[in-house]
Structures are given as structure tokens and as C-alpha cells.
Amino acid sequence: MNCVRLRRRLVGETANPGDPEVRRHLEGCAECRAYLARDAAVVRLLALKRLERPDPMLEARVLARIRSALSAPSAASAYQAPAAPAPAMAWRYALAAVLLLLLGLDQTLLRPRRGEPGAGAPVVAGVPERALETPQPTSFVVEMPLLPMRAGAPVLVQPGISTTDTVHKPQPIVIHFEP
Amino acid sequence: MSAEAKPDRKAEAAVDAALVRRACRGDSRAFDEIVRRHHARLYGLIYHMTSHREDTEDILQAVFLRAYRSLPRFRGKSSLSTWLHRIAVNTTINFIHRRKRAAMSLNDPDAAIERSEEYQELAARDSPFRDATISELQRKLNAALQTLSEKHRTVVVLHDIQGVPHEEIARMLKCSVGTVRSRLFYARRLLQGELAEYAP
């Protein structure tokens, strides 16, 4: 048995110091004897750390801190892993994503290419062309899928497009935000 | 492990399991009892890992809060103590990584130890300890422990300071017993160098 293997086995407690093979090696190897003596001294030094005791008020302090943290939901939630979305919400997100995709495809496929009739003028599905010919107020046009909206939100929805239309015949809803 | 120790551990585990069940049903006194039963050992583990008392209390609080929230997911495959130690090790290592202090401030040594019977006995028996003051020894020990990587320090703290067997450490750290032994061997070899004046 070589020195490193013997030291590993003795430190890892897989070898018995009383084992004849180990004893023979140690009798003939001063370096290993010195190594193991140093190791034993380190272990004795580390044992000193066991004498360090927490102060007697620790328990009361820890309990008070935990109770206080648990009673304050915002502070307590800092330790909580972010929760996965609830199944109902996940379905809504998935539906919104599919609608967005369909609307995107709809816009891409139906938009006239350069040189085709209608090219050059802005085309918005569901909006009569003449409405686009008249000068438009300075506004941002945002196309969105149908999502539940907060009552009283400052948006204007184009008339003539109902909720049913949007679901069955995917069409963008054009919303003008007055700046 | 002695034959007498086994039933004790079984009884402890049964008490812990009952407390977990009660705590899961919302009994806050049961969780308080879990804190009372385990805080001292967890404090020791965290304190020896950080050598800083205020950090230790912050981490200990985080460990118990994390445990409280995870209790419903505790299946009892390992003992509550093993499970709590695992949370404590992970939380402490995360804390140390986050803090990344250039010079980790270490607390002043605990002067009360010098008056303890155990230290007096040790100092009388071992000449290297006799020549050093306890505060000097503690300072050197804390500094030496901080030179180890977190993985090596964890194994030394659990095995050499807290007396946890290799197999239990392997369960706590979710690694093999061979890895635990190997880390212990390297850590002790490094500590021999750091503490050369006391381990000639």
C-alpha cells in the first residue's frame, strides 16, 4: 500500500489503524506517522469549535424573528420560490398566444405585396378602405388580440367588430390611442 | 453507532414526524417546537461555515422560513434533521456566494470557552494548545476554515465539528460517501498547512 492510499484510507476511516498491513506500513514510514500525527492535531483543534455555544437568548430571538416574518406576507414571500402560474391563467396565456399568432399570420398573408393593387396604402383588416383615405388624426395604431380589458380604460375600439367576430373570424382590433 | 443510540434516533424521528404533521395542519406551536429542537445544531453548522454571528442568525431565519413553506412537500424519506441540514447547507452556500465579501469579517472569539472545563482539560493535555490563548486559537481556526472551499468546509464542519457520520453527510449533500471521504481528506490536508504551528 502506498503512502497516499494509506493516508486517504485512514483519514476517510475505511482502514483500521490496527490492521496488520497498515501497522507494518506505519512502522516503516516516518512520513506517514508524522502526517497522521498532524491530522490528529487538526482534528483536536477543530474539536475546540464544539465548545462554542450559541448565546442563551438565541432561541427566543430566532422564534420572534420567524413569527414576525411569517406574519408579514410580503417579507415572508421573499423566501418563496416564484410560483408557477395557476392552470386557469396558463390556459388564458396560451389562448392569447395562439390568437396573437393567428392575427400575425393573418396580417402577413393578407397584406398586399409591392406592385399589387392596394400596395402603398395602409391596409387594416376589418376597416373600410374609405376610412383610411380620409386624413387620420395623429394617433398610434395598435393591433391586439381580444383580451379582457379593465372597465373605463381610455381606448377607442373600431365600431362594427364584435367579440364574436374576433373569436370566429380572427381579425385585429384597431385601437387608436390619442396622444 | 451504538445499539442504544438507534432507538433514540427513531424516537426523535417519530416526534419530528408528528410535529411536521401538526405544523402542516397550521399548528404554529408545532413549528415553534421544530425550531426549538433543531436551531442549535443548525446554528452551529451555519456559524462554523460563516464565522459570523449576525449573518448566522439571518441565514438561520431564512432556513426555517424556507422549511416552513416546504413542509407540505417533506415526504419523510430522510429524517427532518437531515432535510433541515440540507436546506441550511444550500442556503448558507448561496448566501456566501451572494455576499462575495473580499474579506469575510470574522467575529471576535468566544471568551467563555476559555473558562469551560473541556478547554481546560484539552489545554492541560496538549502542549501546542497550552502555549496559545483561546482567542488566538479560535481566530486561527476560523481563518483556516475560511480558506477552504464551501464544499470542503461543509464536510469538515459536519464531520469534524458536528460529529455527523459520512453516510449521513452524503445524504445531506446528495453525494456519494466516497466523495465525502475524499473532500474530508483534501480539507484536512489543507488545514494541516494552515494550522502548521499547532499541528507540527
Side-chain angles (χ1 to χ4, degrees):
Chain A
M1 193 185 298
N2 70 29
C3 295
V4 173
R5 201 161 161 214
L6 175 115
R7 291 171 194 178
R8 267 178 176 276
R9 289 185 57 188
L10 284 172
V11 170
E13 296 169 22
T14 53
N16 176 2
D19 182 275
E21 193 188 359
V22 172
R23 226 172 39 211
R24 264 200 309 280
H25 181 104
L26 288 176
E27 279 168 7
C29 182
E31 275 186 35
C32 278
R33 286 202 302 275
Y35 182 91
L36 292 174
R38 285 197 300 275
D39 186 65
V42 166
V43 172
R44 282 202 303 279
L45 271 169
L46 289 169
L48 275 179
K49 299 279 288 170
R50 286 182 204 160
L51 306 181
E52 293 174 23
R53 303 263 189 266
D55 87 75
M57 294 307 291
L58 175 75
E59 183 182 304
R61 261 199 321 271
V62 169
L63 279 171
R65 288 180 69 167
I66 291 167
R67 281 177 196 147
S68 151
L70 288 175
S71 62
S74 57
S77 63
Y79 298 100
Q80 202 169 17
M89 281 305 287
W91 275 109
R92 280 184 204 170
Y93 288 140
L95 184 65
V98 169
L99 281 171
L100 261 176
L101 187 70
L102 286 173
L103 289 168
L105 281 175
D106 182 46
Q107 278 295 92
T108 315
L109 296 174
L110 297 181
R111 191 188 295 276
R113 296 193 176 81
R114 272 179 203 280
E116 284 180 7
V123 175
V124 181
V127 179
E129 253 182 58
R130 59 186 157 75
L132 295 164
E133 284 164 9
T134 55
Q136 296 295 306
T138 314
S139 63
F140 301 101
V141 177
V142 180
E143 295 174 3
M144 295 177 69
L146 184 71
L147 282 174
M149 285 182 198
R150 201 157 38 86
V155 290
L156 297 167
V157 179
Q158 282 287 335
I161 299 169
S162 71
T163 315
T164 342
D165 286 342
T166 311
V167 172
H168 295 292
K169 290 181 272 171
Q171 284 177 336
I173 296 171
V174 181
I175 301 165
H176 294 264
F177 286 94
E178 295 296 337
Chain B
M1 188 187 294
S2 70
E4 288 166 9
K6 273 185 182 170
D8 274 354
R9 288 191 71 179
K10 271 193 173 178
E12 294 283 298
V15 172
D16 278 340
L19 287 171
V20 168
R21 279 194 298 274
R22 281 173 50 202
C24 284
R25 287 197 298 263
D27 183 343
S28 61
R29 278 177 306 178
F31 190 71
D32 284 358
E33 190 55 29
I34 290 174
V35 174
R36 278 191 202 100
R37 287 165 65 83
H38 295 278
H39 79 278
R41 277 184 75 78
L42 295 179
Y43 177 92
L45 166 67
I46 301 165
Y47 174 67
H48 298 313
M49 293 276 290
T50 60
S51 295
H52 196 278
R53 274 186 278 276
E54 282 165 25
D55 287 349
T56 301
E57 288 196 25
D58 289 345
I59 298 168
L60 191 60
Q61 178 190 345
V63 168
F64 279 117
L65 287 173
R66 196 174 275 184
Y68 181 82
R69 285 182 173 72
S70 307
L71 268 185
R73 292 198 297 275
F74 174 66
R75 298 270 171 260
K77 284 181 184 169
S78 58
S79 70
L80 182 66
S81 169
T82 301
W83 185 71
L84 287 172
H85 272 74
R86 194 180 299 148
I87 295 175
V89 167
N90 292 336
T91 310
T92 308
I93 290 177
N94 286 344
F95 176 89
I96 293 169
H97 284 174
R98 261 204 323 271
R99 182 65 63 93
K100 288 265 180 212
R101 280 186 282 206
M104 191 100 168
S105 70
L106 307 181
N107 271 147
D108 287 336
D110 188 348
I113 294 176
E114 205 150 13
R115 296 189 291 274
S116 77
E117 272 181 37
E118 288 152 294
Y119 176 73
Q120 299 290 343
E121 197 188 319
L122 197 72
R125 205 175 55 213
D126 280 296
S127 57
F129 301 162
R130 211 165 36 217
D131 301 335
T133 62
I134 184 68
S135 43
E136 187 188 330
L137 272 176
Q138 281 183 289
R139 230 174 257 130
K140 291 266 182 185
L141 260 174
N142 287 348
L145 280 170
Q146 295 303 321
T147 64
L148 301 178
S149 73
E150 285 88 26
K151 282 179 177 175
H152 289 99
R153 201 185 319 155
T154 307
V155 174
V156 167
V157 168
L158 287 170
H159 186 268
D160 292 335
I161 302 176
Q162 297 211 298
V164 181
H166 295 114
E167 293 75 14
E168 188 67 18
I169 298 173
R171 277 194 288 274
M172 286 173 183
L173 305 182
K174 288 191 171 173
C175 64
S176 71
V177 177
T179 303
V180 172
R181 291 184 203 278
S182 176
R183 283 181 192 168
L184 192 62
F185 173 74
Y186 282 109
R188 292 242 201 103
R189 202 168 66 174
L190 288 168
L191 287 176
Q192 279 190 22
E194 292 294 326
L195 300 165
E197 55 188 305
Y198 304 109

